[in-house]
């Protein structure tokens, strides 16, 4: 389909991700919506490769976005689980003290 | 690359006449409609064949285990009990489908669906023969690994959704076993891609020849070890044989699908048996020369396709038989033995394998051990006299 | 004709999955709908001719990240929505109520304004006159990974090592109690 | 060989929709023709006869997560290696095989050191060697 339709889909995905991150109070739900934002960015890169300049760097960049997102999810969830063991809840408002 | 069964069949005269007739009938060029019809037929045939293999798999398993334990096995329904699996299927359809109250209705619906969708997704790329592969995807191997990881998720959600401690534990063990054994399978598949130089199944199979000495399993000692790692990994990935911990009858009361009854349980069993066939097909395609026929008998014509189909299916069913036999010969592993074997033995070995196959490629320029012996021998004899 | 069907079904799956991920109350259902959205995005990659990125999305996201999320939800005692904390106060429910969603939507509208502002010069960009045919991308990506982007390829292994060691340390059961 | 349209991806979509349809239709048919007399006792999860106590969603310990964590790191590693390995033979025929092998070897070596670290620190063994938090393990 057209160039604009892909931009519309990725914008909607991005906005939904932002709403999800702000509206949820459960840390894991926030991480879920974060994945949506990363996907929207990667989608834009691949769209530009197809419609704008057709060099492969868009695909390589989308590949690295996926890889960094996976590493980030791994570390983020490890922190959330450690936080859960200390605080017994995964409610965002409890993450108030900086000291571990 | 990206060849499909429809584009293969289009080479034949009757199919082109059908295309001309259709496009004349409908006015516009009906090539994609014809593609759709051929794909629909091919998929129905493949799904029918695989569920038949799945059903007969249950029958074969009970028959083989019976005569290994000197008993007879099912022989009531139909001649020699062949139609036993149809009776099981109908029984499952008619049994009451109990969904426990506290359990999660939505997950009870999604878990078997994820398993079935994960397994059906892989049918598109199984390399039956050079023409009859439904869709020879350009990155078919990566697609097969990606889609079949849905089954691990379905197993976990099945265990989690039924809210009983037993199936929760079974779901947890099943999911962690499936995902941790995926790594040795992927690493040994990578060493084969290294040798064949392409990710699509047609390039993987065409890099091997028809004769056993041209298969990748005998290409060099590291791929020989890689085959057994892939076989062990795929046993664990489909919860079979010594690794059937998630559905361990003695401990977990049949593990993650304890609470599933009726047709929901039928889907888990069907998905498991079809996945065993698909995974054995993967091992056959990667290591045992897939659908290659010695001396390329019958070429690419319809006879050639049938011969290739026969060669692929006989290799896969041989591996299927080995899977069933190992189930009734080896005891079940404990959880920690299972995990230790994967992380501390299979993954380091498959990493070393991958590096050594790369070294072999660079050193001997990709020639198999037999080529080296023959070329070495010919050089020797050449210089000899 | 099929291009439209594949695009519409993938885009639909993406957007419906995303809406349900951020609105459904049970966290495990949210993870399943995220899976649906990621499958939709993989379909969109297919329509964009990025077949390798689509299957890598399948392998890494669907086969890894969602499984990890589901494990994490399991380990944090499932959907404990209304747990009161030590002071007995039931705070804002974890899955968000009307107030949090209005704040989210207001701020997202702001973000949308800036995006639309950005898009004005995106539309002014010169685009390919003739869109190229779909062609296999694996070898191009492989050669660029080994050739121009070899530094990124090696550094990403260092990044993965850092993530592995860091997350292993954080999630290792400590010797002393709390 | 490049294709003009996306018809080649038709089987994937057909098969996924077929999978979903098959499960939904069969469960729907089952709902109609299946006996359905739920009773309180029958709807309890199976606990070898006794009535179930407490919800099953209790907290499990961390070793399931550590497995998942190490899995995703090595899954991403293999995902990154797919394109390099697919191109290896082609470059080897040109003569660049040694260079690509060194890059691949470095990549695997760094991550193998990560695995060795986790092995040495005891993350890989399923039953943790030293006793951890009370009641956790």
């Amino acid at each position: 389909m057209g160039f604009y339709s892909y931009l519309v889909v990725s914008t909607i995905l991005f906005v939904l991700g932002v709403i999800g991150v702000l509206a949820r109070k459960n840390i894991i739900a926030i991480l879920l919506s974060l994945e949506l934002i990363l996907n929207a960015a990667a989608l834009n890169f691949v769209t530009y490769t197809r419609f704008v300049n057709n060099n492969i760097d868009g695909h390589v960049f989308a590949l690295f976005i996926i890889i960094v997102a996976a590493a980030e999810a791994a570390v983020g969830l490890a922190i959330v689980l450690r936080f859960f063991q200390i605080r017994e809840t995964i409610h965002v408002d409890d993450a108030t003290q900086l000291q571990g | 690359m990206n060849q499909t069964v429809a584009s293969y069949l289009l080479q034949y005269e009757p199919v082109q006449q059908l295309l001309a007739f259709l496009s004349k009938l409908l006015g516009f060029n009906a090539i994609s409609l014809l593609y759709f019809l051929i794909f629909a037929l091919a998929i129905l045939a493949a799904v029918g064949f695989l569920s038949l293999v799945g059903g007969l798999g249950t029958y074969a398993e009970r028959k083989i285990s019976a005569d290994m334990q000197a008993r007879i096995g099912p022989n009531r329904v139909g001649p020699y009990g062949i139609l036993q699996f149809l009776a099981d299927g109908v029984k499952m359809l008619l049994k009451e489908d109990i969904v426990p109250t506290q359990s999660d209705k939505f997950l009870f619906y999604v878990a078997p669906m994820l398993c079935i969708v994960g397994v059906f997704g892989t049918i598109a790329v199984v390399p039956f023969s050079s023409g009859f592969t439904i869709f020879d995807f350009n990155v078919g191997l990566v697609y097969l690994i990606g889609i079949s990881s849905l089954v691990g998720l379905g197993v976990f959600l099945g265990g989690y959704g039924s809210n009983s401690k037993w199936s929760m534990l079974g779901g947890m063990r099943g999911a962690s076993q499936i995902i941790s054994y995926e790594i040795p399978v992927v690493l040994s598949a990578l060493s084969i891609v290294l040798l064949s130089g392409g990710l699509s199944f047609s390039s993987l199979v065409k890099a091997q020849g028809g004769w056993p000495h041209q298969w990748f399993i005998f290409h060099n000692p590291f791929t020989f070890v890689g085959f057994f790692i892939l076989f062990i990994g795929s046993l664990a990935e489909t919860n079979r044989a010594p690794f059937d911990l998630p559905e361990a009858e003695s401990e977990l009361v049949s593990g993650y699908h304890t609470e599933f009854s009726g047709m929901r349980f039928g889907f888990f069993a069907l998905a498991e048996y079809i996945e065993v066939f698909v995974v054995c097909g993967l091992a056959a395609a990667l290591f045992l020369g897939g659908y290659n026929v010695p001396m390329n008998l019958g070429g690419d014509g319809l006879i050639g396709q049938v011969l290739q189909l026969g060669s692929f299916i006989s290799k896969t069913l041989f591996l299927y038989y080995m899977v069933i036999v190992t189930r009734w010969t080896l005891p079940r592993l404990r959880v920690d033995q299972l995990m230790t074997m994967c992380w501390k033995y299979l993954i380091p070995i498959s990493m070393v394998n991958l590096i050594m196959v790369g070294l072999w490629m660079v050193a001997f320029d990709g020639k198999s051990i037999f080529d080296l012996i023959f070329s070495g021998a010919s050089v020797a004899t050449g210089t000899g006299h | 004709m099929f291009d439209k069907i594949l695009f519409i079904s993938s885009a639909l799956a993406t957007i419906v999955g995303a809406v349900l991920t951020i609105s459904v109350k049970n966290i495990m259902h949210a993870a399943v709908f995220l899976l649906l959205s990621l499958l939709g995005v993989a379909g969109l990659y297919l329509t964009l001719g990025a077949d390798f990125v689509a299957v890598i999305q399948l392998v890494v996201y669907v086969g890894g990240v969602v499984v990890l999320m589901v494990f994490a939800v399991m380990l944090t005692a499932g959907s404990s929505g209304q747990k009161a904390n030590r002071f007995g106060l039931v705070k804002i429910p974890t899955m968000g109520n009307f107030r949090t969603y209005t704040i989210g939507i207001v701020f997202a509208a702001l973000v949308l304004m800036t995006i639309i502002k950005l898009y004005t010069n995106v539309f002014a960009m010169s685009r390919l006159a003739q869109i190229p045919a779909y062609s296999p991308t694996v070898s191009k990506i492989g050669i660029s990974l080994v050739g121009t982007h070899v530094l990124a390829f090696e550094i990403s292994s260092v990044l993965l090592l850092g993530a592995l060691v860091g997350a292993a340390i954080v999630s290792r059961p400590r010797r002393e109690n709390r | 060989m490049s294709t003009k349209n996306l018809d080649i991806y038709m089987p994937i979509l057909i098969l996924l929709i077929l999978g979903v349809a098959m499960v939904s239709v069969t469960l729907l048919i089952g709902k109609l023709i299946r006996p359905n007399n739920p009773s309180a006792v029958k709807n309890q999860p199976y606990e070898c006869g006794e009535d179930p106590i407490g919800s099953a969603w209790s907290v499990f310990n961390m070793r399931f997560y550590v497995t998942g964590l190490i899995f995703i790191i090595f899954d991403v590693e293999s995902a990154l290696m797919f394109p390099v390995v697919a191109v290896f033979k082609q470059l080897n025929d040109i003569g660049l095989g040694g260079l690509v092998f060194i890059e691949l070897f470095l990549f695997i070596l760094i991550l193998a050191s990560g695995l060795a670290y986790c092995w040495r620190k005891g993350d890989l063994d399923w039953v943790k060697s030293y006793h951890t938090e009370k009641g956790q393990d």
Side-chain angles (χ1 to χ4, degrees):
Chain A
M1 299 278 287
F3 177 55
Y4 301 114
S5 40
Y6 286 106
L7 287 189
V8 163
V9 169
S10 71
T11 314
I12 292 175
L13 204 58
F14 181 80
V15 167
L16 288 175
V18 168
I19 294 174
V21 166
L22 292 171
R24 296 287 207 178
K25 289 299 175 194
N26 180 343
I27 301 180
I28 294 181
I30 292 176
L31 282 176
L32 286 180
S33 340
L34 205 62
E35 300 299 333
L36 293 179
I37 297 176
L38 289 166
N39 268 317
L43 190 60
N44 259 351
F45 273 106
V46 179
T47 314
Y48 288 145
T49 303
R50 170 132 179 89
F51 290 105
V52 175
N53 49 20
N54 192 21
N55 68 358
I56 205 69
D57 292 349
H59 292 196
V60 170
F61 208 96
L63 197 66
F64 280 118
I65 286 182
I66 291 175
I67 279 147
V68 170
E72 170 263 334
V75 174
L77 288 169
I79 294 170
V80 164
L81 290 179
R82 173 55 62 200
F83 174 75
F84 176 76
Q85 278 180 347
I86 294 170
R87 282 273 186 284
E88 284 301 319
T89 101
I90 44 171
H91 201 292
V92 153
D93 296 351
D94 291 345
T96 46
Q97 276 90 16
L98 274 184
Q99 186 254 348
Chain B
M1 289 305 161
N2 283 347
Q3 206 230 13
T4 62
V5 66
S7 59
Y8 168 75
L9 287 180
L10 270 179
Q11 305 154 0
Y12 290 98
E13 198 39 45
V15 179
Q16 274 145 14
Q17 279 155 7
L18 178 65
L19 173 63
F21 168 71
L22 268 179
S23 27
K24 187 154 49 56
L25 188 73
L26 300 169
F28 56 90
N29 178 2
I31 183 80
S32 47
L33 184 66
L34 187 64
Y35 262 45
F36 178 73
L37 290 179
I38 296 177
F39 280 140
L41 284 178
I43 284 171
L44 283 183
V47 167
F49 169 70
L50 280 177
S51 6
L52 189 70
V53 162
L56 286 180
T58 54
Y59 167 72
E61 183 148 6
R62 289 160 71 172
K63 261 308 194 197
I64 293 168
S65 64
D67 69 32
M68 281 169 83
Q69 298 152 1
R71 52 186 172 81
I72 297 173
N75 59 2
R76 285 288 177 275
V77 187
Y80 303 105
I82 289 280
L83 305 181
Q84 178 64 36
F85 70 94
L86 290 182
D88 299 345
V90 167
K91 178 195 75 176
M92 272 182 206
L93 262 176
L94 296 181
K95 270 180 65 170
E96 187 184 2
D97 177 12
I98 305 162
V99 178
T101 40
Q102 312 101 322
S103 70
D104 198 322
K105 302 286 179 295
F106 173 67
L107 288 185
F108 249 54
Y109 172 69
V110 164
M113 184 189 293
L114 275 181
C115 281
I116 287 285
V117 163
V119 167
F120 274 16
T122 57
I123 295 178
V125 281
V126 170
F128 288 108
S129 84
S130 59
F132 288 159
T133 317
I134 294 179
F135 170 38
D136 173 26
F137 201 179
N138 178 39
V139 277
L141 183 63
V142 190
Y143 168 76
L144 191 128
I145 291 163
I147 274 284
S148 66
S149 60
L150 277 178
V151 176
L153 204 61
V155 159
F156 180 83
L157 290 178
Y160 181 84
S162 37
N163 180 27
S164 87
K165 294 183 226 354
W166 271 264
S167 50
M168 179 86 69
L169 203 53
M172 261 321 235
R173 282 188 185 172
S176 50
Q177 170 187 321
I178 286 176
I179 62 173
S180 50
Y181 273 90
E182 206 175 303
I183 304 209
V185 165
V186 168
L187 286 176
S188 47
L190 272 178
S191 57
I192 291 302
V193 172
L194 203 84
L195 287 176
S196 71
L199 280 170
S200 71
F201 273 109
S202 63
S203 63
L204 285 169
V205 171
K206 289 217 168 26
Q208 304 166 58
W211 295 104
H213 75 276
Q214 293 159 334
W215 292 348
F216 272 146
I217 186 170
F218 303 120
H219 188 280
N220 56 32
F222 304 108
T223 48
F224 187 75
V225 170
F227 170 71
F228 291 102
I229 290 180
L230 186 93
F231 189 70
I232 295 169
S234 33
L235 275 183
E237 214 167 306
T238 51
N239 295 345
R240 289 287 309 195
F243 306 103
D244 51 4
L245 216 51
E247 50 208 49
E249 290 75 17
S250 50
E251 298 143 27
L252 295 178
V253 188
S254 102
Y256 57 86
H257 39 66
T258 319
E259 298 305 323
F260 287 83
S261 51
M263 206 44 207
R264 282 181 223 271
F265 172 73
F267 287 128
F268 277 112
L270 178 69
E272 187 199 318
Y273 276 102
I274 294 185
E275 194 184 0
V276 169
F277 183 85
V278 166
V279 155
C280 289
L282 173 76
L286 287 183
F287 286 92
L288 304 178
Y291 50 75
N292 283 324
V293 176
M295 290 180 303
N296 207 351
L297 286 170
D300 269 350
L302 276 184
I303 317 129
Q305 297 308 322
V306 171
L307 285 177
Q308 287 172 0
L309 200 64
S311 130
F312 173 74
I313 288 178
S314 57
K315 288 173 189 164
T316 311
L317 288 185
F318 168 69
L319 285 177
Y320 203 102
Y321 175 74
M322 295 311 295
V323 166
I324 293 176
V325 162
T326 45
R327 174 169 187 169
W328 302 98
T329 46
L330 296 179
R332 180 177 301 125
L333 281 175
R334 277 202 329 258
V335 179
D336 53 343
Q337 289 166 336
L338 184 111
M339 284 300 167
T340 315
M341 175 169 158
C342 170
W343 291 106
K344 295 187 178 173
Y345 294 97
L346 286 190
I347 289 184
I349 295 174
S350 53
M351 269 188 185
V352 166
N353 251 349
L354 183 58
I355 292 173
M356 295 315 285
V357 165
L359 208 60
W360 183 282
M361 269 295 276
V362 172
F364 302 114
D365 206 10
K367 281 207 280 300
S368 78
I369 202 161
F370 293 99
D371 300 345
L372 295 175
I373 294 166
F374 292 147
S375 58
S378 62
V379 164
T381 51
T383 56
H385 51 71
Chain C
M1 175 53 187
F2 177 69
D3 311 10
K4 288 192 184 58
I5 297 172
L6 187 61
F7 172 75
I8 288 167
S9 57
S10 318
L12 212 63
T14 317
I15 292 172
V16 163
V19 166
L20 289 174
T21 304
I22 64 172
S23 58
V24 95
K25 281 298 168 237
N26 178 339
I27 183 82
M28 196 55 101
H29 298 181
V32 171
F33 289 126
L34 176 72
L35 176 79
L36 172 68
S37 179
L38 294 178
L39 284 174
V41 170
L44 284 177
Y45 285 147
L46 278 184
T47 54
L48 283 165
D51 51 4
F52 183 69
V53 178
V55 281
I56 285 298
Q57 159 108 350
L58 265 184
V59 166
V60 172
Y61 261 118
V62 167
V65 172
V66 173
V67 169
L68 217 58
M69 294 283 180
V70 161
F71 268 23
V73 166
M74 147 79 77
L75 291 177
T76 50
S79 51
S80 58
Q82 299 306 339
K83 236 161 75 108
N85 66 359
R86 275 189 294 278
F87 312 117
L89 297 170
V90 176
K91 301 182 296 307
I92 303 166
T94 57
M95 295 318 251
N97 59 8
F98 179 73
R99 207 153 48 83
T100 56
Y101 275 104
T102 44
I103 296 168
I105 288 169
V106 160
F107 188 75
L110 271 173
V111 167
L112 191 59
M113 302 300 177
T114 51
I115 291 174
I116 290 170
K117 181 94 181 51
L118 280 174
Y119 272 150
T120 45
N121 45 33
V122 163
F123 299 150
M125 228 174 6
S126 71
R127 289 210 302 282
L128 281 179
Q130 192 259 341
I131 297 171
Y134 296 103
S135 65
T137 60
V138 185
S139 44
K140 281 189 268 182
I141 292 181
I143 288 175
S144 86
L145 264 185
V146 170
T148 48
H149 297 293
V150 70
L151 190 59
F153 178 67
E154 298 303 336
I155 285 182
S156 66
S157 81
V158 174
L159 173 111
L160 288 175
L161 176 65
L164 175 65
V165 170
I169 290 175
V170 165
S171 59
R172 184 171 301 139
R174 294 281 167 62
R175 198 179 305 277
E176 86 289 354
N177 205 338
R178 276 277 178 273
Chain D
M1 113 298 206
S2 66
T3 64
K4 270 313 285 171
N5 54 18
L6 289 161
D7 285 359
I8 52 175
Y9 296 121
M10 230 185 257
I12 297 178
L13 197 63
I14 298 173
L15 272 167
L16 295 187
I17 291 173
L18 181 72
V20 171
M22 191 171 144
V23 171
S24 330
V25 162
T26 321
L27 292 185
L28 226 58
I29 295 172
K31 204 182 284 294
L32 304 179
I33 60 173
R34 241 197 300 266
N36 187 4
N37 37 40
S39 73
V41 174
K42 208 190 294 188
N43 277 354
Q44 277 171 345
Y46 175 70
E47 295 233 346
C48 310
E50 304 97 31
D51 47 9
I53 25 172
S55 118
W57 279 316
S58 64
V59 172
F60 281 76
N61 52 41
M62 291 290 279
R63 56 178 183 250
F64 289 118
Y65 179 73
V66 173
T67 322
L69 162 75
I70 303 176
F71 156 70
I72 193 165
I73 297 292
F74 283 96
D75 198 25
V76 165
E77 175 212 354
S78 59
L80 249 178
M81 274 203 291
F82 266 116
V84 174
V85 162
V87 173
F88 193 94
K89 183 175 167 76
Q90 189 183 339
L91 291 176
N92 192 22
D93 298 345
I94 300 170
L96 292 168
L99 176 72
V100 178
F101 174 72
I102 291 167
E103 282 158 15
L104 202 63
F105 179 66
L106 260 178
F107 187 79
I108 296 175
L109 197 69
I110 294 173
L111 278 159
S113 64
L115 185 71
Y117 167 79
C118 286
W119 190 336
R120 180 68 188 80
K121 283 291 178 182
D123 277 343
L124 293 188
D125 38 23
W126 194 247
V127 180
K128 292 296 178 269
S129 51
Y130 48 79
H131 177 67
T132 60
E133 280 126 329
K134 277 185 291 306
Q136 184 67 25
D137 209 79

